[in-house]
Amino acid sequence: MQVHIVTIFPEMFPAPLGAGIVGRAQEAGLAAVHVHDLRGFTHDRRRTTDGSPFGGGPGMVMRPEPLFEAVESLKLPEGAPIVALTPQGAPFRQADAERLAAEEVVTLLCGRYEGVDERVMAELATERLSIGDYVLSGGELAAMVVVDAILRLLPGALGHAPHGEAIADDSFTSGLLQYPQYTRPAEYRGMSVPDVLLSGDHAAVERWRRNEALRRTLERRPELLAQATLSDEDRKELRKLGWRDA
Ligand code: ADE
């Protein structure tokens, strides 16, 4: 997979994308991340990427020409997604990470200043994504979040086999929050690990984990339950916990 990132701050990217699973995925050749300096696509001596807004108002707006020219220089295959990171975008969800991870080339455009010329948003970007309901000072951190979420899904990116299992247990993949995890020691400062996890009874462990995922989701993110795939047994368990399904 090829990922292109267009930004006026290319220096922000190497550390976050060089470590851990995302760094390993690149070293293993599963993905290549190319960071492009938007200023390389300006034509004036001062390498201007912004202008004041038509109609007046505070702040500066990113000009369209460098962004269009940067994307054109990438010679993207027909239909490849061009994602603008913006607080005005659709919420970025695990399903978007899964969808983008299936692409061969993904391009991310990082906005800065008070906004980006709407012709870029409407005509150059094929979609707009937001990583949450808060305003960052630019799309760079959001692009890193999106790249991280995508690259860890590439087959082989998670060091341990089989790939599908770790992914399937992730929060959100199943539509539920992940169950609680424990490791050694079995007792720490008077806090012990649930007995069932030490029992060696795999079916009982699976049942406990499923029920804990349901409980946690009901307590913390009840709105997720409307979209989750639930068995009759799940529904029964949820009702025991006080859930009133729609
Ligand atoms: N740029 C600024 N804030 C953002 C956000 N919340 N998501 C994506 N891009 C952004």
Side-chain angles (χ1 to χ4, degrees):
M1 162 176 231
Q2 305 287 317
V3 178
H4 294 291
I5 299 172
V6 179
T7 171
I8 59 167
F9 291 123
E11 67 275 17
M12 287 178 71
F13 289 86
L17 298 185
I21 289 166
V22 171
R24 260 214 327 268
Q26 293 170 81
E27 282 159 23
L30 304 176
V33 179
H34 310 281
V35 182
H36 305 276
D37 187 350
L38 186 64
R39 292 195 194 279
F41 299 89
T42 56
H43 301 293
D44 60 315
R45 280 229 341 266
R46 297 178 55 210
R47 308 215 301 164
T48 314
T49 56
D50 63 334
S52 44
F54 281 129
M60 298 296 272
V61 176
M62 288 182 85
R63 292 172 60 123
E65 313 96 303
L67 283 160
F68 273 88
E69 289 179 33
V71 169
E72 280 157 12
S73 79
L74 301 176
K75 308 263 182 274
L76 299 176
E78 189 66 31
I82 302 170
V83 181
L85 285 314
T86 165
Q88 281 96 49
F92 176 60
R93 304 199 190 287
Q94 189 67 19
D96 297 298
E98 288 164 11
R99 172 173 59 81
L100 293 171
E103 296 283 348
E104 263 162 40
V105 187
V106 173
T107 301
L108 303 174
L109 307 181
C110 305
R112 276 272 153 181
Y113 311 114
E114 264 56 44
V116 177
D117 187 283
E118 187 60 21
R119 290 164 290 190
V120 171
M121 289 310 202
E123 304 295 334
L124 181 62
T126 60
E127 59 185 293
R128 290 141 292 277
L129 291 174
S130 165
I131 63 159
D133 290 342
Y134 38 79
V135 179
L136 303 168
S137 48
E140 284 78 9
L141 289 168
M144 293 177 208
V145 166
V146 169
V147 172
D148 188 294
I150 294 174
L151 292 205
R152 66 183 289 285
L153 293 176
L154 298 178
L158 301 181
H160 45 84
H163 173 73
E165 249 174 55
I167 296 290
D169 281 6
D170 280 344
S171 288
F172 307 114
T173 302
S174 68
L176 300 176
L177 301 186
Q178 198 191 41
Y179 50 78
Q181 299 265 42
Y182 294 90
T183 186
R184 287 181 293 275
E187 170 124 6
Y188 180 64
R189 299 191 178 183
M191 299 175 282
S192 50
V193 171
D195 286 336
V196 61
L197 298 180
L198 311 174
S199 69
D201 180 343
H202 289 295
V205 168
E206 284 311 302
R207 226 171 17 250
W208 181 86
R209 286 182 167 167
R210 183 73 187 175
N211 289 346
E212 288 302 309
L214 291 166
R215 177 201 307 279
R216 193 170 259 202
T217 307
L218 178 63
E219 279 173 10
R220 301 180 188 176
R221 299 290 304 279
E223 79 281 8
L224 295 178
L225 293 172
Q227 303 294 323
T229 309
L230 301 173
S231 67
D232 289 347
E233 222 171 309
D234 291 337
R235 290 172 188 282
K236 212 167 104 190
E237 180 68 21
L238 282 167
R239 281 191 213 103
K240 263 200 327 215
L241 297 169
W243 182 59
R244 299 275 162 268
D245 66 327

